[in-house]
Amino acid sequence: MEHTIIDKFFIVVKGKWKGKGVDSTIVNVYGPHTDTNKQKLWLSLESLVGKHDTGWVLCGDFNKVHDSSERQNCDFIKRRANWFNNFINKTKLIDVPMGGKRFTRICNNGIKFSKLDRFLISEKFSDIWNELLVLALERKLSNHYPIILRDTAIDFGPIPTKVFDEWFDLEGADDLIS
């Protein structure tokens, strides 16, 4: 495993997934607050992702949202969201859906909420782990909810009951269902 600090706003870890044998790169991101530094971050990450054909995972606090639905009682600046969305589109990264909570950051005594923390993955990584979900856990020490990336492929064993389409054609099926 190779650890490399690339920039003051992110750390890169390269290696192979145990049991998968596939080259992967994880980037832990802490998004800057100023517009100039945000644009530098997007350009640096875009260049990095474009140079290497690997399974990418970018995670952390991006300090940015996609659209106004990812904020509550906070300022939303469309221009900044467009920069973030353009970065994701250019790198062809996928924002892994989140369960557990709607927002990842809370402030001002529970008045303001934002979804700043996330996992962005490449298609190559998605091909290996195709049933991923981000879970927001309980918040204890920080104003951010910790998030984890989880493979949701769970085998619960055989299905206990089966329904056949023909059953819906039987007389009285509609009454039974309603």
Side-chain angles (χ1 to χ4, degrees), residues 73-87:
N73 300 324
C74 298
D75 293 335
F76 171 73
I77 300 171
K78 187 172 178 69
R79 170 179 42 91
R80 292 179 182 161
N82 287 342
W83 294 338
F84 185 47
N85 292 327
N86 287 337
F87 156 71

Side-chain angles (χ1 to χ4, degrees), residues 33-123:
H33 294 277
T34 67
D35 285 354
T36 302
N37 285 337
K38 281 182 198 300
Q39 289 179 310
K40 285 180 184 177
L41 172 65
W42 306 142
L43 290 172
S44 294
L45 289 173
E46 186 180 326
S47 174
L48 182 67
V49 171
K51 286 180 185 173
H52 305 282
D53 184 29
T54 182
W56 286 97
V57 178
L58 282 70
C59 59
D61 180 358
F62 287 84
N63 272 321
K64 196 49 28 229
V65 297
H66 289 298
D67 57 51
S68 60
S69 71
E70 294 185 342
R71 290 208 184 265
Q72 184 175 311
N73 300 324
C74 298
D75 293 335
F76 171 73
I77 300 171
K78 187 172 178 69
R79 170 179 42 91
R80 292 179 182 161
N82 287 342
W83 294 338
F84 185 47
N85 292 327
N86 287 337
F87 156 71
I88 292 171
N89 290 333
K90 286 179 181 178
T91 54
K92 297 182 175 110
L93 293 172
I94 302 162
D95 191 1
V96 181
M98 188 172 78
K101 305 267 183 250
R102 186 169 158 211
F103 302 106
T104 61
R105 182 175 181 267
I106 181 173
C107 65
N108 290 11
N109 295 323
I111 296 171
K112 294 182 176 186
F113 301 90
S114 299
K115 183 183 177 193
L116 303 178
D117 308 90
R118 60 188 76 239
F119 281 85
L120 303 174
I121 62 172
S122 67
E123 189 174 324

Side-chain angles (χ1 to χ4, degrees), residues 121-134:
I121 62 172
S122 67
E123 189 174 324
K124 189 169 189 172
F125 191 82
S126 177
D127 290 344
I128 303 163
W129 304 89
N130 56 7
E131 296 188 45
L132 293 174
L133 175 70
V134 174

Side-chain angles (χ1 to χ4, degrees), residues 1-15 24-30 41 44-45 48-49 52 54-59:
M1 185 88 44
E2 175 188 331
H3 301 271
T4 309
I5 297 177
I6 301 290
D7 188 278
K8 64 183 176 181
F9 298 116
F10 58 88
I11 298 172
V12 178
V13 179
K14 298 177 184 180
S24 298
T25 305
I26 300 173
V27 181
N28 187 357
V29 177
Y30 178 71
L41 172 65
S44 294
L45 289 173
L48 182 67
V49 171
H52 305 282
T54 182
W56 286 97
V57 178
L58 282 70
C59 59

